[in-house]
């Protein structure tokens, strides 16, 4: 059965999809059959009569096995707002069992690894008192943390790690993604993060131009995940 990793971020807009795609590509280069799963996505567009999310489409395109879009992204909401608010507006409550069933179906395929991308940060509210992290905890998924290198990232990273471990989950690794090309004292902050984060380091992705983005997987080291 496929092994699943949950990819979360220190905040929104820290490059979770960008890094997840790089992880998927690196895994394929290592000989793994991979699938991407985005349980909940807001900010979707109507494409051929079906709501689809750009991030989920990226994961679908990078997947080794062709599957219908809905298997990659069961909950889609048009407004680019917090999912629990979008779900309330749409009258479509987000049910954890539905998310779990979606992952279970992907595990029944020939995939070796499944990369599950969250939304926002670790404590993403889904409504009705539930968080996406509640589901991750129930599934016992190892977590990969994407740290967006920008002002405040050290605090965000350490608090996220503390919350993940408080939930009893394993931090399988972390990736430093330079989202702010003009971050003051980047090298010093990166060194501090590497010193303070006691989890496998999977790579440091520099600020890449649009043309260079296709090379992001070259900065990923999957060795800790292959053990």
């Amino acid at each position: 059965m496929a092994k699943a990793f949950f990819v979360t971020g220190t905040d929104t807009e820290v490059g979770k999809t960008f890094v997840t795609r790089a992880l998927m590509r690196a895994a394929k280069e290592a000989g793994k059959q991979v699938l991407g799963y985005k349980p909940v996505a807001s900010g979707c567009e109507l494409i051929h009569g079906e709501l689809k999310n750009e991030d989920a489409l990226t994961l679908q395109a990078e997947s080794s096995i062709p599957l219908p879009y809905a298997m990659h992204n069961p909950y889609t909401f048009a407004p680019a707002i917090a999912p629990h608010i979008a779900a309330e507006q749409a009258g479509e409550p987000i049910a954890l069992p539905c998310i779990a069933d979606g992952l279970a179906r992907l595990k029944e395929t020939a995939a070796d690894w499944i990369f599950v991308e969250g939304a926002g940060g670790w404590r993403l509210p889904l409504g009705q008192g539930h968080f996406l992290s509640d589901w991750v905890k129930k599934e016992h998924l190892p977590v990969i943390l994407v740290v967006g290198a920008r002002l405040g990232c050290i605090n965000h990273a350490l608090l996220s790690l503390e919350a993940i471990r408080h939930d009893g989950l394993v931090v399988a690794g972390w990736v430093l993604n330079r989202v702010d090309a003009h971050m003051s004292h980047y090298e010093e902050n990166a060194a501090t993060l590497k010193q303070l984060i006691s989890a496998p380091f999977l790579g440091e992705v520099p600020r890449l131009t649009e043309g260079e983005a296709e090379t992001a997987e070259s900065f990923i080291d999957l060795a800790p995940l292959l053990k």
Side-chain angles (χ1 to χ4, degrees):
M1 182 177 289
K3 182 174 184 178
F5 299 92
F6 184 81
V7 182
T8 190
T10 46
D11 201 352
T12 190
E13 300 298 327
V14 296
K16 287 189 302 297
T17 303
F18 179 66
V19 171
T20 301
R21 183 180 69 170
L23 288 164
M24 292 175 71
R25 289 185 173 183
K28 286 190 291 185
E29 289 180 0
K32 301 291 185 181
Q33 291 269 87
V34 300
L35 286 174
Y37 186 46
K38 179 86 173 176
V40 180
S42 55
C44 302
E45 295 183 4
L46 202 60
I47 301 175
H48 302 303
E50 184 180 7
L51 278 176
K52 295 183 178 181
N53 172 263
E54 183 179 358
D55 294 345
L57 285 169
T58 296
L59 302 187
Q60 181 186 26
E62 208 58 56
S63 294
S64 302
I65 304 167
L67 296 172
Y69 175 85
M71 290 187 69
H72 296 277
N73 179 208
Y75 282 104
T76 58
F77 302 102
I81 57 178
H84 72 288
I85 299 175
E88 184 177 358
Q89 289 182 353
E92 184 183 358
I94 300 170
L96 296 184
C98 178
I99 294 174
D101 288 345
L103 179 60
R105 285 194 294 272
L106 294 183
K107 285 185 174 182
E108 292 172 355
T109 68
D112 299 305
W113 285 2
I114 301 168
F115 289 94
V116 184
E117 185 193 335
W122 180 245
R123 288 282 185 251
L124 177 80
L126 299 180
Q128 301 175 308
H130 298 300
F131 295 87
L132 186 56
S133 55
D134 294 334
W135 171 73
V136 182
K137 182 178 178 180
K138 188 173 182 179
E139 295 284 341
H140 303 288
L141 299 180
V143 179
I144 297 173
L145 177 66
V146 178
V147 178
R150 62 189 182 198
L151 186 65
C153 66
I154 296 175
N155 176 64
H156 290 164
L158 297 180
L159 287 177
S160 296
L161 287 165
E162 183 179 318
I164 293 165
R165 286 174 170 149
H166 183 267
D167 284 341
L169 295 171
V170 172
V171 180
W174 69 285
V175 176
L176 181 60
N177 183 36
R178 189 169 186 178
V179 293
D180 181 2
H182 306 291
M183 180 183 183
S184 177
H185 298 284
Y186 169 78
E187 297 295 341
E188 293 89 337
N189 281 285
T192 300
L193 283 163
K194 292 172 186 177
Q195 179 184 9
L196 293 176
I197 295 178
S198 57
F201 183 53
L202 304 181
E204 182 176 350
V205 182
R207 184 69 177 179
L208 302 174
T209 65
E210 187 174 340
E212 297 170 331
E214 298 298 318
T215 68
E217 65 270 19
S218 65
F219 299 96
I220 299 294
D221 178 14
L222 287 184
L225 304 184
L226 295 168
K227 294 179 179 177

